[in-house]
Amino acid sequence: MERICTYAARVAGLLLFALTAVILYEIIGRQFYNTNSVALGELQWHLHGIIALLGFGYAYTRDAHVRIDLVSQNFSQPFRMKLEILGIILFLTPFMILIIQHGSDFAYRSYIRSEGSNGGLGLDHRFIIKSIIPISAILALMGAYSVVLRMIVVLRGNLKDPYESKELWKS
């Protein structure tokens, strides 16, 4: 599960180059050739969204997600891990399942309607960007459950840290 999250994060990393190229192309066109493209503007937002969403699962496996530790920082590591496991099972899982269900329906309706940009000047096939929503929820669940499995191993005494520490491009 973690390997799939790592590959998704690598794709997101490579898409940063595409996003940079699109931004540079649009800036040069606007500044020097007096052109403006709604489609390129939308492509920037779509690439930015895809990059952010594909990294959720990877961020969870590296303990790089947002967390508020005001209360739990005073607890022991085993208790914090048990609390994290409960949080994943009781809160994250149902929320991600809802995102998968509704996001899939959202993308499917967009596909059926051949939804595109408003006004016809932007990008067609809006279902592509919308399908990233349930995919990111699946990746988040995969990352979270790979951490849960490692936490169980840590609690049994066979591992020190439940979070992976390898760099993105070295694993």
Side-chain angles (χ1 to χ4, degrees):
M1 291 186 294
E2 180 189 328
R3 189 172 293 150
I4 293 170
C5 292
T6 300
Y7 290 137
R10 287 178 181 169
V11 168
L14 293 173
L15 285 174
L16 281 170
F17 291 110
L19 177 60
T20 303
V22 170
I23 291 170
L24 286 173
Y25 182 81
E26 186 179 25
I27 288 172
I28 291 169
R30 195 174 349 154
Q31 294 298 318
F32 299 109
Y33 300 106
N34 201 24
T35 62
N36 194 12
S37 171
V38 173
L40 284 178
E42 284 188 9
L43 183 59
Q44 286 178 38
W45 284 105
H46 289 194
L47 287 172
H48 185 265
I50 291 169
I51 290 165
L53 291 173
L54 287 181
F56 284 164
Y58 178 79
Y60 211 101
T61 64
R62 300 309 192 260
D63 197 24
H65 58 290
V66 176
R67 176 186 294 141
I68 301 172
D69 289 334
L70 294 174
V71 176
S72 67
Q73 67 186 359
N74 299 324
F75 300 139
S76 67
Q77 183 185 17
F79 185 78
R80 282 196 314 258
M81 284 192 277
K82 291 174 186 173
L83 196 61
E84 182 84 15
I85 291 169
L86 278 174
I88 289 169
I89 293 170
L90 296 177
F91 299 110
L92 182 71
T93 301
F95 184 66
M96 290 298 132
I97 288 172
L98 283 173
I99 290 176
I100 292 166
Q101 289 173 340
H102 292 287
S104 298
D105 185 52
F106 189 52
Y108 178 71
R109 281 186 281 132
S110 178
Y111 174 75
I112 293 299
R113 295 175 182 158
S114 298
E115 186 179 2
S117 178
N118 294 336
L121 297 174
L123 299 175
D124 290 333
H125 310 299
R126 187 66 53 97
F127 72 92
I128 296 171
I129 186 66
K130 290 182 178 185
S131 65
I132 298 298
I133 295 168
I135 290 170
S136 70
I138 292 167
L139 289 169
L141 279 176
M142 291 173 79
Y145 276 94
S146 71
V147 170
V148 164
L149 293 173
R150 271 196 249 113
M151 284 183 176
I152 292 169
V153 172
V154 169
L155 289 171
R156 289 185 173 178
N158 298 331
L159 190 65
K160 283 188 174 190
D161 187 12
Y163 296 99
E164 192 60 49
S165 60
K166 292 183 281 186
E167 293 181 30
L168 178 63
W169 298 99
K170 297 206 178 191
S171 54

